Structures are given as C-alpha cells and as structure tokens.
Amino acid sequence: MSGTFHAIVLAGDRGPDDPLLRHTGVSAKALLPLAGQPMVLRVLDALGASSAIGGMTLVGPDQALLADCPALSALIATGRLAWLPPQPSPSTSALAALERLPNDQPVLLTTADHALLRSAWVDRFCGAALASGNDAVVGLTELAGVRAAFPQSRRTALRFRDGAFCGCNLFAFLNPAGRRAPAFWRQLEQRRKQPHRLAAALGPGTLLKYLTHQLTLADGFERLSQRVGARLGAVLLDDPRAAVDVDSPADLELVQALLADGA
C-alpha cells in the first residue's frame, strides 16, 4: 500500500461570521495555532508520516493568507504540497482537487481542522478501504465510545437501528466509480435547504426509514449505493479521538486540553 493514496485536505473557511474565527481572531481557521503549531500543519504532518500517502493537495486557505504561515508557504514553494484556491463549498473544493488527479488515483479526503489526526489512523483506514471491495468509503466511529471519552463534547451522529456513529472526516475514493460520491454530495449541498428536493435525491423511502431509525448501517449504505451508482461502505475506527475536529470554540477547548495531556 506504500504511497498508494493521494491526500486532499480541505482548508476553506465559512467566512468572517464563523464563531471560531471571531473567538480566536485568526485570519484563517486552518492557521489556528495549536500547541505552538498551525492546525493545518498538524494534519499535513500526520499524512506525511503515513505509509499510505504518496502526495498531498491542500485546497485553501485563500492565497493572500498563505504568507501568514511561512512553513506552509515553503511546503508549497518546494513542490512537496500542491495548493488550490478554495471553492464555494466543501464538495466543490473536493471536486476541483479531484479533477487535477488521474481518474484511477485512489484518494484520501480529510480536513484541515482534523487536529488530532494520527498516521496510524490513516494507515488503518486506507488499508481497510482498499480491502473492502467498495468504490468509496467513509470513516466512522461509535457514538457510545465518543460519549464515554468526551461526555462534555457535543458531536453530530448518524443514528441507525443497530447503533449511532460519528463521522471521522476521512473519506476514500478508490476508483472512477467512487468519484461519483462527491458529485452526489454536491447535489445534497445544493438541496439541503429544500427538504422535498433532499428527499427526492436520497429517495423518500430511504429518508423516512432513516428518520424513524428503521435502517441498519449496512442497509443505509446499500440504499445510498444504489442512488450514487457506486459501492459505498464504512470503515469503523476504534479511537474516539478520530471523531473530534475543531469546529467551534468548545471543540477548540477540548482539543487544546487533549494536546496538553499528550493526546
């Protein structure tokens, strides 16, 4: 698996009204200092230490802000890191980066706010994704483990009949068919404020079964696979820290505490 994957890191911002930017006063979320290091560099270091990763592309922050982080600018200038300007949404940023890569290139997608990312998680996720037989894979961890480890933290969960799961900001697109997943993601972004159109995209029956907790995780991926036209699946990670990103002042406080404790 050595160097099989190209990593795409999304580092765009939600704009000046982002509570985290207002709280910290930083110019870009990705450049938020954590334990003396800009957050995005922590993510890039973890990816660079993974045996699965053979190249990296950063999408964002805005070019004018790169000068605020000389170490990041140096990585880009030396060619060790490709950079693209952020697009209007996460899905369009991902699609812009994917368009620059060969269609058969396996890709790992993550985010610049995944401040606790570890190379061991990347190795485990990428290896399991390749072995899964799926076209695209998402990383999940059980909500129960996250709640037990961080009872004070509020995390979004996907709730199925056989359990609740948190996303880990890790996605793998393994072949050309797998790249249909971010295109479908774009459709959902466009329809998120129009429930009737969102239901049409997912399938009204599927959406109803999910909302009433009648779907198992496997059933959900099977139905979604049919909609997307690709085999979709999940890799479960057992470390609850994999579900922690820095998306709010409360998240920032939690991550700072964990890093101070050597997490």
Side-chain angles (χ1 to χ4, degrees):
M1 187 180 66
S2 180
T4 300
F5 285 78
H6 188 97
I8 297 172
V9 181
L10 302 184
D13 282 311
R14 291 182 295 189
D17 292 332
D18 185 334
L20 191 60
L21 293 185
R22 293 201 308 267
H23 177 73
T24 61
V26 296
S27 60
K29 179 180 174 182
L31 304 182
L32 179 69
L34 288 172
Q37 185 181 34
M39 180 162 60
V40 65
L41 292 184
R42 301 184 64 86
V43 174
L44 295 174
D45 284 349
L47 293 170
S50 166
S51 62
I53 304 303
M56 296 184 286
T57 296
L58 180 67
V59 188
D62 290 330
Q63 188 170 26
L65 301 177
L66 295 177
D68 293 345
C69 184
L72 184 58
S73 297
L75 285 174
I76 296 168
T78 59
R80 293 170 57 195
L81 175 68
W83 174 86
L84 293 173
Q87 300 302 307
S89 72
S91 70
T92 53
S93 288
L95 288 167
L98 286 167
E99 288 173 358
R100 301 292 188 96
L101 298 171
N103 206 31
D104 59 352
Q105 168 69 63
V107 170
L108 170 73
L109 178 72
T110 190
T111 57
D113 63 1
H114 203 339
L116 300 177
L117 186 65
R118 296 291 184 271
S119 59
W121 305 346
V122 176
D123 291 342
R124 154 93 173 101
F125 175 75
C126 290
L130 285 174
S132 71
N134 291 308
D135 302 315
V137 174
V138 59
L140 300 175
T141 192
E142 293 184 358
L143 174 63
V146 177
R147 281 181 168 170
F150 314 118
Q152 77 279 26
S153 178
R154 297 180 62 183
R155 308 244 67 90
T156 301
L158 299 169
R159 300 179 184 277
F160 294 91
R161 194 175 73 203
D162 52 347
F165 305 88
C166 295
C168 297
N169 282 6
L170 292 172
F171 306 87
F173 311 120
L174 300 164
N175 52 40
R179 297 194 182 191
R180 296 172 188 156
F184 187 75
W185 176 19
R186 175 59 179 151
Q187 291 183 42
L188 299 185
E189 279 186 341
Q190 292 173 323
R191 303 178 187 196
R192 67 185 185 279
K193 294 184 179 180
Q194 299 172 294
H196 65 289
R197 295 186 66 203
L198 183 62
L202 292 171
T206 297
L207 186 60
L208 179 61
K209 283 182 174 292
Y210 173 75
L211 293 174
T212 56
H213 307 305
Q214 296 181 53
L215 279 183
T216 65
L217 181 64
D219 289 342
F221 275 107
E222 177 61 31
R223 286 169 173 260
L224 193 58
S225 295
Q226 294 173 10
R227 282 281 166 177
V228 174
R231 294 167 298 177
L232 309 181
V235 168
L236 295 183
L237 300 175
D238 57 10
D239 193 325
R241 295 176 300 172
V244 178
D245 56 14
V246 181
D247 205 37
S248 69
D251 293 336
L252 174 60
E253 183 177 344
L254 172 61
V255 168
Q256 287 174 325
L258 290 171
L259 291 174
D261 289 340

